[in-house]
């Protein structure tokens, strides 16, 4: 997508410097900082400490992490160790394991002398594949938005609520939940996006709102608790969210708070869609509530917030009594029964074993 009018991806290999570069998302929207990831430990820190975040981007970063390590030490031991170190960085997004497995399976039979080149090539392909999947998600999602927009008066916007950041910053480009929005904008459909702030890390306020502004898409930031009220008032036409892991039966794990939005949408008869590229599907799991590991993050993310002071400096402020304890589950599960449909690169399907099997017959037969 565009930043200041210039096309940009969230991760790329810079041919001039021969290094991997990312946008360090911790500073957005206040500062746009690009950093170089040059060794395994830095890749691990970048994923764990959320310089990069979002399931598809975590996977792409891990793939390049393996490639960079192969350039330093292409041995089997180094490959296995790197898989393990990067896999431990974040537990919930399944794209991480998917990308690491892709790299390991490819590299294992390659002689050591050829491993770095093969790894860089595959990492680049994983990035390109993510971009294409998300572009296709946009094409399929556009048809859903088109139908809803057709029921509106001329010029009246289609109002879409989204949670967390499932935008291009969470992927390599396009985003998952935002790709249908960008395609609808290009098709001339008037839009209004409700952007959930998404406590505790405020990915909606800091990232999605920034993305929408850069793309000139009308939007308003809302506190997480406002969604249900807006739905009751008839102010929301549809919900589109992303996911960090979706099971073979269609249960969706996404940023904490997604489940409450799905409950409110169900109660108000509002379509609730989840946009996902196929590497986000964990074909080995069925019951998301029992089987998906939920990341629990630092209490400090809940007890304080980061932001910009009036003097322009960035600061964290404490929002509760000193010593107050906090719980910080980072994701929740939305059961398949609350989901209207899954928007994938192959089309839209029901959130059910049959729906997913219909779009991905080869995966279900071999992996379950
Ligand atoms: O903790 P994060 O910021 O890595 O989590 C990302 C999300 O949960 C997003 O909502 C997103 O939809 C999943 S990635 C497209």
């Amino acid at each position: 997508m565009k930043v200041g009018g210039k096309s940009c991806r969230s991760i790329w290999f810079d041919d001039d410097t021969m290094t991997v570069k990312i946008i360090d998302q911790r500073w957005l929207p206040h500062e746009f900082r690009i950093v170089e990831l040059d060794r395994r430990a830095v890749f691990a820190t970048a994923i764990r400490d959320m310089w990069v975040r979002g399931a598809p981007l975590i996977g792409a970063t891990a793939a390049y992490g393996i490639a960079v390590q192969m350039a330093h030490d292409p041995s089997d031991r180094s490959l296995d160790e790197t898989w393990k170190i990067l896999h431990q960085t974040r537990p919930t997004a399944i794209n991480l394991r998917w990308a690491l497995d892709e790299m390991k399976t490819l590299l294992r039979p390659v002689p050591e002398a050829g491993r770095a080149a093969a790894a860089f090539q595959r990492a680049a392909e994983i990035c390109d594949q993510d971009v294409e999947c998300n572009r296709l998600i946009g094409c399929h999602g556009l048809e859903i938005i088109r139908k809803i927009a057709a029921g509106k008066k001329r010029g009246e916007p289609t109002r879409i609520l989204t949670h967390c950041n499932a935008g291009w910053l969470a992927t390599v480009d396009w985003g998952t939940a935002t790709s249908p929005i960008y395609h609808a904008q290009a098709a001339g459909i008037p839009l209004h996006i409700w952007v959930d702030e998404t406590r505790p890390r405020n990915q909606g306020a800091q990232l999605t709102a920034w993305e929408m502004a850069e793309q000139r898409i009308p939007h308003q930031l809302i506190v997480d608790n406002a969604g249900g009220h807006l739905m009751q008032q008839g102010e929301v036409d549809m919900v589109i969210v992303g996911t960090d892991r979706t099971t073979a039966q269609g249960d969706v794990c996404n940023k904490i708070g997604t489940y409450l939005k799905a409950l409110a949408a169900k109660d108000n008869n509002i379509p609730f869609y989840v946009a996902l590229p196929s590497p986000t599907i964990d074909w080995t799991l069925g019951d998301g509530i029992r089987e998906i590991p939920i990341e629990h993050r630092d209490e400090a993310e809940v007890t304080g917030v980061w932001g910009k002071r009036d003097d322009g400096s960035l600061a964290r402020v404490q929002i509760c009594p000193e010593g107050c304890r906090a719980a910080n589950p980072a994701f929740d599960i939305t059961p398949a029964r609350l989901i209207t449909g899954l928007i994938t690169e192959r089309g839209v399907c029901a959130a059910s074993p049959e729906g997913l099997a219909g779009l991905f017959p080869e995966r279900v037969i071999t992996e379950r």
Side-chain angles (χ1 to χ4, degrees):
M1 303 308 297
K2 296 244 169 26
V3 180
K6 275 174 67 184
S7 289
C8 193
R9 283 187 175 186
S10 60
I11 187 167
W12 66 97
F13 185 79
D14 185 331
D15 293 319
D16 295 333
T17 56
M18 299 295 282
T19 54
V20 177
K21 292 191 170 160
I22 57 153
I23 300 165
D24 186 341
Q25 300 188 18
R26 292 172 301 167
W27 307 100
L28 286 171
H30 311 297
E31 289 173 26
F32 185 78
R33 290 195 197 179
I34 290 170
V35 295
E36 210 172 271
L37 305 181
D38 60 355
R39 53 188 195 285
R40 180 171 72 188
V42 181
F43 275 87
T45 305
I47 299 172
R48 186 181 303 106
D49 294 350
M50 293 172 71
W51 308 3
V52 291
R53 23 77 41 214
L57 178 57
I58 290 172
T61 307
Y64 268 123
I66 295 231
V68 165
Q69 176 62 18
M70 289 299 95
H72 289 298
D73 174 2
S75 67
D76 280 355
R77 214 181 98 209
S78 147
L79 179 58
D80 290 346
E81 260 176 24
T82 308
W83 190 100
K84 224 163 131 192
I85 287 167
L86 295 176
H87 186 245
Q88 282 164 353
T89 51
R90 293 197 70 189
T92 302
I94 194 62
N95 306 55
L96 175 60
R97 195 183 76 202
W98 173 84
L100 290 170
D101 284 347
E102 285 282 309
M103 298 298 283
K104 195 163 151 179
T105 311
L106 170 90
L107 296 174
R108 199 39 114 209
V110 176
E112 285 189 10
R115 278 191 180 165
F120 274 107
Q121 188 183 329
R122 183 67 190 121
E125 283 166 10
I126 284 174
C127 290
D128 290 345
Q129 184 183 333
D130 182 61
V131 176
E132 180 57 7
C133 280
N134 297 329
R135 189 188 68 78
L136 289 167
I137 285 169
C139 297
H140 300 306
L142 166 62
E143 295 315 314
I144 300 170
I145 298 176
R146 229 192 257 288
K147 281 194 194 116
I148 294 172
K152 303 224 149 232
K153 288 198 198 101
R154 204 179 157 74
E156 212 177 53
T158 298
R159 298 149 309 169
I160 302 173
L161 184 142
T162 189
H163 189 66
C164 193
N165 172 255
W168 69 270
L169 289 164
T171 65
V172 180
D173 206 351
W174 286 108
T176 56
T178 54
S179 187
I181 293 171
Y182 294 137
H183 280 78
Q185 180 194 35
I189 298 172
L191 298 167
H192 185 88
I193 311 303
W194 296 115
V195 178
D196 278 357
E197 62 177 350
T198 319
R199 276 282 288 149
R201 285 192 66 116
N202 290 321
Q203 288 96 327
Q206 296 180 338
L207 305 175
T208 309
W210 180 76
E211 290 174 340
M212 292 294 126
E214 288 290 320
Q215 219 59 33
R216 300 183 192 286
I217 296 175
H219 62 282
Q220 272 175 295
L221 182 64
I222 52 172
V223 297
D224 292 325
N225 291 328
H229 167 75
L230 290 171
M231 290 185 205
Q232 278 179 333
Q233 296 297 312
E235 300 279 345
V236 180
D237 296 307
M238 74 186 294
V239 180
I240 316 182
V241 297
T243 167
D244 297 82
R245 191 184 304 214
T246 288
T247 70
Q249 75 180 32
D251 289 344
V252 163
C253 179
N254 193 47
K255 183 54 58 193
I256 194 78
T258 303
Y259 171 50
L260 290 178
K261 296 296 141 70
L263 282 173
K266 187 77 170 176
D267 194 44
N268 290 282
N269 217 9
I270 290 164
F272 184 97
Y273 284 94
V274 180
L276 69 158
S278 54
T280 308
I281 304 168
D282 187 341
W283 299 99
T284 67
L285 300 187
D287 181 345
I289 296 173
R290 281 195 304 118
E291 297 177 68
I292 296 179
I294 300 293
E295 178 177 16
H296 287 257
R297 297 185 59 88
D298 200 316
E299 295 180 38
E301 292 182 350
V302 178
T303 57
V305 285
W306 271 94
K308 189 164 82 167
R309 287 204 187 98
D310 289 344
D311 68 4
S313 62
L314 302 183
R316 176 189 182 275
V317 292
Q318 176 88 11
I319 59 163
C320 56
E322 243 359 281
C324 177
R325 299 298 311 273
N328 189 9
F331 299 93
D332 62 23
I333 309 295
T334 299
R337 68 188 144 78
L338 299 178
I339 298 164
T340 310
L342 302 176
I343 311 172
T344 78
E345 71 270 22
R346 291 201 190 167
V348 183
C349 70
S352 66
E354 300 74 26
L356 280 166
L359 287 185
F360 301 94
E362 77 287 7
R363 303 302 295 260
V364 177
I365 292 158
T366 54
E367 296 185 34
R368 289 225 80 205

